[in-house]
């Protein structure tokens, strides 16, 4: 796609990846973008590059503005390969005067590309680079979401080049928030937060506090994926505040797998119990829903009710997959319970309960049923739903 001027003499020079459907385990049904930015001034600076397979397209796009050889500085805000994959070839082509990166960025670039001879210039938070009329102020954001991560701020334009932060995996021909449906944009941003940043929520809260403390004025946020926040950057900052506090809504998720619909019928009965207490619920059959979509819903859910039949003395592989993924993303403040049908050994409910306890959930006693549930078993499930609903109501009013 052709470059797009986002501020005077500052261009989006990214590429669209319409076809990616799996981003290291995160489903991307609408593709993504790899955003890079070019600032034209007395010195010309390129902020980040793109995933390696898009190198040719990237160079063609840059060439519509200038001969890439005229670029003076390469600024590497993040070393993950969707942004640095084209760095070796770009350095070869540009022969930049300097490659700016964080201290951990230098280390990671060397560890990835084994080139200690590149003209590194290590920058830390508060370090400023003059481009001429404009300047760049660097802000390290270590572990948001890699050790090397940093953001670049151009104060003259009140522009924050935010690396992965505030991004979304969504390929569109539009480049700005006000050109797309606001609800869909926020859903993609929430999915990104839930699946990439949730575990770093305490650091997100610190970063937002730091930005407020430094009095950084932000008129535009340009992330490395998806749309640029032009008309309402405050909306995504406010959402990050909410998500990083992991504020729960009156929403419970009933997430399960099933072999012969016994566990599924328990899920329905639990849902009815939740509804009886005025709780909104959503059902997710793990055969039909991707783990990353489930995690997006986990972000603001108050309770997780997880069900699995027992298979070979354990839980279903889909549930093990979800729990492994969820544990890494560290959701906090959830009420939990397990349920499931079994034939003769029945370990799944216990194993799920243990996994939820390890995640510091407030775990209610679950329900286990041998083979097909009778009416009294489904009544127990209904009562479990009510019990969770009452616990959620108590938590909301506390
Ligand atoms: Fe978009 Fe962490 O890379």
């Amino acid at each position: 796609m052709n470059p797009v001027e986002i501020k005077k003499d500052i261009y989006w020079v990214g590429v669209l990846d319409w076809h990616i459907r799996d981003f290291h385990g995160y489903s991307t049904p609408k593709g993504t973008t790899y955003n890079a930015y070019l600032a034209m001034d007395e010195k010309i600076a390129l902020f980040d590059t793109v995933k390696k397979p898009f190198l040719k397209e990237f160079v063609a796009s840059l060439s519509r503005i200038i001969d890439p050889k005229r670029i003076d500085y390469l600024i590497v805000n993040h070393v993950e390969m969707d942004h640095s994959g084209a760095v070796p070839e770009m350095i070869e082509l540009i022969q930049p005067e300097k490659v700016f990166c964080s201290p951990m960025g230098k280390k990671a670039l060397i560890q990835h590309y084994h080139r200690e001879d590149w003209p590194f210039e290590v920058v830390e938070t508060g370090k400023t680079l003059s481009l001429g009329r404009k300047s760049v102020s660097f802000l390290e954001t270590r572990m948001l979401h890699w050790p090397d991560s940093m953001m670049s701020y151009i104060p003259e334009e009140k522009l924050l080049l935010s690396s992965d932060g505030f991004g979304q995996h969504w390929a569109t021909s539009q480049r700005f928030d006000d050109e797309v449906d606001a609800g869909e944009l926020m859903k993609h941003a929430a999915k990104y937060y839930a699946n990439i940043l949730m575990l770093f929520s305490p650091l997100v809260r610190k970063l937002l506090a730091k930005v407020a403390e430094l009095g950084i004025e932000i008129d535009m946020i340009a992330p490395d994926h998806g749309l640029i926040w032009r008309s309402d950057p405050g909306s995504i900052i406010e959402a990050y505040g909410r998500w990083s506090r992991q504020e729960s809504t009156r929403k419970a998720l009933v997430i399960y797998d099933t072999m012969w619909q016994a566990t599924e019928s328990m899920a329905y009965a639990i849902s009815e119990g939740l509804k009886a207490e005025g709780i909104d619920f959503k059902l997710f059959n793990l055969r039909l829903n991707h783990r990353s979509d489930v995690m997006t819903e986990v972000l603001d859910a108050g309770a997780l009710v997880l069900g699995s039949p027992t298979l070979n003395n354990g839980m279903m592989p889909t549930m093990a997959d979800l729990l492994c993924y969820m544990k890494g993303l560290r959701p906090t403040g959830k009420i939990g319970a397990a349920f499931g049908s079994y034939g003769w050994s029945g370990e799944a409910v216990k194993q799920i309960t243990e996994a939820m306890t390890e995640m510091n959930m407030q775990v209610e006693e679950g329900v286990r049923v041998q083979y097909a549930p009778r009416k009294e078993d489904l009544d127990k499930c209904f009562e479990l739903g009510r019990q969770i609903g009452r616990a959620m109501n108590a938590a909301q009013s506390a």
Side-chain angles (χ1 to χ4, degrees), residues 38-333:
L38 185 74
M40 302 286 293
D41 205 329
E42 289 162 29
K43 289 287 189 181
I44 300 171
L46 175 64
F47 297 80
D48 288 318
T49 68
V50 296
K51 202 172 171 181
K52 191 166 183 169
F54 295 86
L55 172 68
K56 207 171 153 189
E57 189 182 330
F58 180 51
V59 172
S61 173
L62 280 169
S63 303
R64 291 186 186 105
I65 306 172
I66 48 152
D67 176 352
K69 292 189 176 73
R70 287 186 50 211
I71 295 170
D72 299 290
Y73 300 143
L74 172 62
I75 294 164
V76 179
N77 279 330
H78 183 23
V79 179
E80 193 165 6
M81 287 78 83
D82 48 333
H83 310 295
S84 77
V87 160
E89 289 76 9
M90 289 308 295
I91 290 181
E92 205 59 40
L93 173 67
I94 297 169
Q95 299 289 318
E97 196 176 313
K98 285 179 180 172
V99 175
F100 292 88
C101 57
S102 68
M104 294 304 284
K106 177 179 175 182
K107 195 172 168 195
L109 281 168
I110 291 172
Q111 285 172 323
H112 277 82
Y113 302 110
H114 316 136
R115 293 293 301 267
E116 303 205 18
D117 59 317
W118 285 346
F120 292 109
E121 178 86 15
V122 167
V123 287
E124 296 177 349
T125 294
K127 173 86 181 173
T128 300
L129 166 70
S130 174
L131 298 178
R133 297 178 303 281
K134 299 184 209 297
S135 61
V136 184
S137 183
F138 299 101
L139 178 64
E140 284 177 87
T141 54
R142 195 176 284 205
M143 294 319 300
L144 284 177
H145 69 121
W146 274 27
D148 55 87
S149 299
M150 69 174 191
M151 298 183 181
S152 298
Y153 177 65
I154 300 181
E156 294 79 7
E157 300 293 345
K158 299 179 183 170
L159 168 63
L160 181 67
L161 302 172
S162 62
S163 185
D164 277 338
F166 310 110
Q168 333 90 45
H169 284 314
W170 188 17
T172 55
S173 61
Q174 300 90 343
R175 293 276 50 83
F176 297 102
D177 55 351
D178 49 88
E179 298 173 320
V180 298
D181 180 80
E184 185 169 6
L185 175 61
M186 206 47 94
K187 275 186 191 162
H188 287 291
K191 182 170 181 177
Y192 195 94
Y193 188 92
N195 287 277
I196 305 278
L197 296 173
M198 185 193 283
L199 73 161
F200 302 117
S201 287
L203 294 176
V204 173
R205 291 199 295 275
K206 271 191 192 165
L207 173 67
L208 295 177
K210 181 91 182 163
V211 167
E213 177 198 318
L214 295 174
I216 295 174
E217 290 183 75
I218 297 174
D219 181 53
M220 180 183 285
I221 299 176
D224 272 2
H225 296 287
L227 283 297
I228 294 164
W229 304 90
R230 169 173 72 179
S231 66
D232 191 11
S235 66
I236 189 63
I237 291 174
E238 185 276 325
Y240 265 51
R242 194 162 16 92
W243 295 334
S244 66
R245 291 189 295 275
Q246 295 209 32
E247 291 176 5
S248 296
T249 58
R250 286 168 56 82
K251 177 179 83 175
L253 309 182
V254 182
I255 306 164
Y256 66 96
D257 198 344
T258 194
M259 291 166 71
W260 297 103
Q261 283 62 56
T263 300
E264 184 165 66
S265 64
M266 296 171 76
Y268 290 148
I270 291 166
S271 305
E272 289 305 322
L274 288 162
K275 193 67 190 168
E277 291 296 328
I279 301 295
D280 296 329
F281 65 89
K282 289 187 179 179
L283 254 75
F284 291 95
N285 181 331
L286 287 173
R287 301 284 184 92
L288 308 173
N289 292 278
H290 194 273
R291 69 175 85 83
S292 56
D293 291 318
V294 174
M295 277 313 300
T296 308
E297 294 287 344
V298 167
L299 182 60
D300 65 352
L304 310 178
V305 199
L306 307 183
S308 172
T310 294
L311 174 74
N312 303 332
N313 302 108
M315 65 185 87
M316 295 288 278
T318 49
M319 184 57 73
D321 175 293
L322 178 71
L323 286 170
C324 172
Y325 190 64
M326 187 186 293
K327 188 177 173 189
L329 289 167
R330 294 184 213 160
T332 58

